[in-house]
Each structure stands twice: as C-alpha cells, then as structure tokens.
Amino acid sequence: MRKKIFGLFCLFIIFFIVLIPIVSASSLVIDEGKARGYHYTVIKEQNEFKWEVGYHNEITIITENENNNNEVLQHFRKAVNEINTKIFQIIVSISYILLVVTITIFFYKRNKELNKGSGAIIVIFAGIGLIYAIVNFIYLNTAFRDAEYYYSIILTR
C-alpha cells in the first residue's frame, strides 16, 4: 500500500516538474548580454525568435527573418560578448602588472638591491603583461566599433 502511494506521489511530482514549465512557457529567454551600454536579449516565442537590441535606453524589437537571422544580429551579439571578454582580459593583465610591481617593490625593500638578472626578468614579465593589455585594448576598441556598426545597421532595417 505504501509503495503504491509513494509511486503515485512520485508520478504526481514528475507531472508537475514536466507539465508546468511546458504550459507556462509562452516565451523563453534564450540568451542575453550587456556591455557598456549595448544590450541584447533573444526570446523564443512559439516558432519565432525576437531580439530586443539596444544602446542605453533605446530598445528595438526585431523578429528574426531571412534578412537578418544569421548576419547582423549574430554579429552584434558577438561584438557585445567580445566587449565583456576584452574588458575582463584587460583587468586581468593590469592586475598581473600590479602584482609584478608589488612583488618587485617587496623584494627590493627586503634586499635593498636588485641584480641585473632579476631586473631583466622583472622587466620581461611586466612587458608581457603590458603587451597583453595593449593588444586586448586594441581588440576592445575593435569590438566597440563592431557593436556600433552592427547596431546602426539594425536601426536602419
């Protein structure tokens, strides 16, 4: 008797877990992203995708079709995601440079001197971090330009 009640209870719970999301999900957010004012949200409603694309407070809603499905909207999404990635990489590289400088100052105060070999190694490590930061800053600038370009195309369509 207890096994039947437990089995019915489990079946009842499974129905709620499976049926409630199916019945209540008329629209589903597939993807969203924000970066320095640019933002997008991809929403699936029945058999079509709607994009909410914007810059600061301007929002444009676009229904995906043959003219824009795999071109402009996807490029805009990639540019916004690239902005976030490059900002994170710049923060990491600047933190790395600060770590190298902090360690150098710590060992210099401790030993009161730096020999030529350790100085060269410190300059190489700091230089690697600086080059990484500069390269990512250039890519960040490109991502901003891409997002601006694709957003302007979206607005004109």
Side-chain angles (χ1 to χ4, degrees):
M1 181 71 172
R2 287 184 178 214
K3 288 183 181 180
K4 285 184 181 182
I5 293 173
F6 181 72
L8 288 173
F9 178 73
C10 289
L11 190 60
F12 185 71
I13 295 296
I14 290 173
F15 279 133
F16 272 113
I17 292 172
V18 173
L19 289 179
I20 288 177
I22 291 172
V23 171
S24 66
S26 62
S27 65
L28 178 67
V29 174
I30 303 293
D31 192 15
E32 61 185 340
K34 294 180 182 179
R36 302 292 178 183
Y38 293 102
H39 52 89
Y40 70 90
T41 304
V42 183
I43 302 169
K44 182 176 182 184
E45 291 182 347
Q46 271 121 64
N47 292 330
E48 63 184 15
F49 291 97
K50 290 192 178 193
W51 290 66
E52 291 180 4
V53 179
Y55 181 64
H56 290 296
N57 293 330
E58 298 177 24
I59 296 176
T60 305
I61 297 175
I62 300 170
T63 302
E64 192 173 288
N65 57 35
E66 300 85 31
N67 296 331
N68 59 16
N69 62 353
N70 281 328
E71 293 177 23
V72 177
L73 294 171
Q74 296 297 333
H75 288 297
F76 180 76
R77 181 172 90 177
K78 181 180 176 188
V80 170
N81 291 337
E82 190 74 14
I83 290 170
N84 281 332
T85 302
K86 293 307 171 188
I87 288 173
F88 176 74
Q89 290 175 342
I90 289 171
I91 290 170
V92 168
S93 60
I94 290 173
S95 300
Y96 173 77
I97 292 169
L98 291 175
L99 181 68
V100 168
V101 169
T102 303
I103 291 172
T104 302
I105 291 171
F106 173 75
F107 282 121
Y108 180 73
K109 284 187 176 186
R110 188 171 178 205
N111 294 335
K112 299 290 184 195
E113 65 181 68
L114 287 175
N115 58 18
K116 292 181 182 180
S118 62
I121 291 172
I122 291 168
V123 168
I124 289 172
F125 281 130
I128 290 171
L130 184 62
I131 289 170
Y132 189 71
I134 291 170
V135 167
N136 282 312
F137 183 75
I138 292 169
Y139 285 138
L140 175 64
N141 190 25
T142 303
F144 270 118
R145 288 185 183 192
D146 288 347
E148 180 183 358
Y149 173 73
Y150 290 116
Y151 184 69
S152 67
I153 290 175
I154 289 168
L155 288 181
T156 57
R157 286 189 176 185

Short mmCIF file of all heavy atoms in Angstrom, two decimals, residues 25-33 40-45 49-50 52:
data_model
loop_
_atom_site.label_atom_id
_atom_site.label_comp_id
_atom_site.label_asym_id
_atom_site.label_seq_id
_atom_site.Cartn_x
_atom_site.Cartn_y
_atom_site.Cartn_z
N ALA A 25 5.39 28.30 -20.23
CA ALA A 25 6.45 28.93 -21.01
C ALA A 25 5.95 29.35 -22.38
O ALA A 25 6.12 28.65 -23.36
CB ALA A 25 7.64 27.97 -21.13
N SER A 26 5.29 30.50 -22.44
CA SER A 26 4.87 31.01 -23.73
C SER A 26 6.04 31.71 -24.42
O SER A 26 6.11 31.73 -25.63
CB SER A 26 3.69 31.96 -23.57
OG SER A 26 4.08 33.06 -22.78
N SER A 27 6.93 32.30 -23.64
CA SER A 27 8.15 32.87 -24.20
C SER A 27 9.32 32.45 -23.33
O SER A 27 9.20 32.33 -22.12
CB SER A 27 8.04 34.38 -24.30
OG SER A 27 7.95 34.94 -23.02
N LEU A 28 10.44 32.25 -23.96
CA LEU A 28 11.61 31.74 -23.28
C LEU A 28 12.82 32.58 -23.66
O LEU A 28 13.08 32.79 -24.86
CB LEU A 28 11.84 30.28 -23.66
CG LEU A 28 13.05 29.57 -23.10
CD1 LEU A 28 12.91 29.40 -21.59
CD2 LEU A 28 13.20 28.21 -23.76
N VAL A 29 13.56 33.09 -22.68
CA VAL A 29 14.76 33.86 -22.95
C VAL A 29 15.88 32.88 -23.27
O VAL A 29 16.26 32.06 -22.44
CB VAL A 29 15.13 34.75 -21.76
CG1 VAL A 29 16.46 35.44 -22.00
CG2 VAL A 29 14.05 35.77 -21.48
N ILE A 30 16.39 32.97 -24.49
CA ILE A 30 17.44 32.08 -24.94
C ILE A 30 18.82 32.59 -24.53
O ILE A 30 19.64 31.85 -24.02
CB ILE A 30 17.39 31.92 -26.49
CG1 ILE A 30 16.04 31.42 -26.95
CG2 ILE A 30 18.50 31.04 -27.00
CD1 ILE A 30 15.72 30.02 -26.52
N ASP A 31 19.06 33.87 -24.76
CA ASP A 31 20.37 34.45 -24.48
C ASP A 31 20.21 35.94 -24.22
O ASP A 31 19.29 36.56 -24.76
CB ASP A 31 21.31 34.22 -25.67
CG ASP A 31 22.76 34.54 -25.35
OD1 ASP A 31 23.10 34.66 -24.16
OD2 ASP A 31 23.56 34.66 -26.30
N GLU A 32 21.09 36.48 -23.41
CA GLU A 32 21.10 37.92 -23.20
C GLU A 32 22.50 38.36 -22.83
O GLU A 32 23.29 37.58 -22.31
CB GLU A 32 20.08 38.35 -22.15
CG GLU A 32 20.28 37.78 -20.78
CD GLU A 32 19.14 38.19 -19.83
OE1 GLU A 32 18.45 39.18 -20.11
OE2 GLU A 32 18.99 37.51 -18.83
N GLY A 33 22.79 39.60 -23.16
CA GLY A 33 24.10 40.13 -22.86
C GLY A 33 24.07 41.64 -22.76
O GLY A 33 23.25 42.30 -23.40
N TYR A 40 21.43 43.08 -25.58
CA TYR A 40 20.55 42.29 -26.43
C TYR A 40 19.90 41.20 -25.60
O TYR A 40 20.44 40.78 -24.57
CB TYR A 40 21.31 41.67 -27.61
CG TYR A 40 22.26 40.57 -27.19
CD1 TYR A 40 21.84 39.25 -27.12
CD2 TYR A 40 23.57 40.86 -26.83
CE1 TYR A 40 22.70 38.25 -26.70
CE2 TYR A 40 24.43 39.87 -26.43
CZ TYR A 40 24.00 38.57 -26.37
OH TYR A 40 24.83 37.57 -25.95
N THR A 41 18.72 40.78 -26.03
CA THR A 41 18.02 39.65 -25.44
C THR A 41 17.38 38.87 -26.57
O THR A 41 16.71 39.46 -27.42
CB THR A 41 16.93 40.11 -24.45
OG1 THR A 41 17.53 40.94 -23.45
CG2 THR A 41 16.28 38.93 -23.77
N VAL A 42 17.60 37.56 -26.60
CA VAL A 42 16.98 36.71 -27.61
C VAL A 42 15.85 35.94 -26.91
O VAL A 42 16.08 35.24 -25.94
CB VAL A 42 18.00 35.71 -28.21
CG1 VAL A 42 17.35 34.88 -29.29
CG2 VAL A 42 19.22 36.45 -28.73
N ILE A 43 14.64 36.10 -27.44
CA ILE A 43 13.45 35.49 -26.85
C ILE A 43 12.82 34.58 -27.89
O ILE A 43 12.62 34.99 -29.04
CB ILE A 43 12.43 36.56 -26.41
CG1 ILE A 43 13.08 37.50 -25.40
CG2 ILE A 43 11.18 35.92 -25.84
CD1 ILE A 43 12.27 38.73 -25.11
N LYS A 44 12.48 33.36 -27.48
CA LYS A 44 11.78 32.45 -28.38
C LYS A 44 10.31 32.46 -28.00
O LYS A 44 9.95 32.13 -26.89
CB LYS A 44 12.34 31.04 -28.29
CG LYS A 44 11.64 30.10 -29.25
CD LYS A 44 12.23 28.72 -29.25
CE LYS A 44 11.48 27.90 -30.29
NZ LYS A 44 11.90 26.54 -30.31
N GLU A 45 9.48 32.85 -28.95
CA GLU A 45 8.04 32.83 -28.78
C GLU A 45 7.45 31.93 -29.85
O GLU A 45 7.56 32.24 -31.03
CB GLU A 45 7.45 34.24 -28.89
CG GLU A 45 7.84 35.13 -27.74
CD GLU A 45 7.21 36.50 -27.85
OE1 GLU A 45 6.67 36.85 -28.92
OE2 GLU A 45 7.27 37.23 -26.86
N PHE A 49 11.93 33.77 -33.28
CA PHE A 49 12.84 34.40 -32.33
C PHE A 49 12.67 35.91 -32.42
O PHE A 49 12.64 36.47 -33.51
CB PHE A 49 14.29 34.03 -32.65
CG PHE A 49 14.61 32.60 -32.38
CD1 PHE A 49 14.58 31.67 -33.41
CD2 PHE A 49 14.94 32.18 -31.12
CE1 PHE A 49 14.88 30.34 -33.17
CE2 PHE A 49 15.24 30.86 -30.86
CZ PHE A 49 15.21 29.93 -31.90
N LYS A 50 12.59 36.55 -31.26
CA LYS A 50 12.54 38.00 -31.20
C LYS A 50 13.78 38.49 -30.47
O LYS A 50 14.19 37.90 -29.48
CB LYS A 50 11.28 38.47 -30.47
CG LYS A 50 10.03 38.23 -31.25
CD LYS A 50 8.87 38.96 -30.65
CE LYS A 50 7.66 38.71 -31.54
NZ LYS A 50 6.57 39.57 -31.24
N GLU A 52 15.55 41.76 -28.64
CA GLU A 52 15.49 43.10 -28.07
C GLU A 52 16.93 43.61 -28.08
O GLU A 52 17.77 43.12 -27.34
CB GLU A 52 14.93 43.08 -26.66
CG GLU A 52 13.48 42.73 -26.58
CD GLU A 52 12.96 42.72 -25.15
OE1 GLU A 52 13.73 43.06 -24.23
OE2 GLU A 52 11.79 42.36 -24.99
#
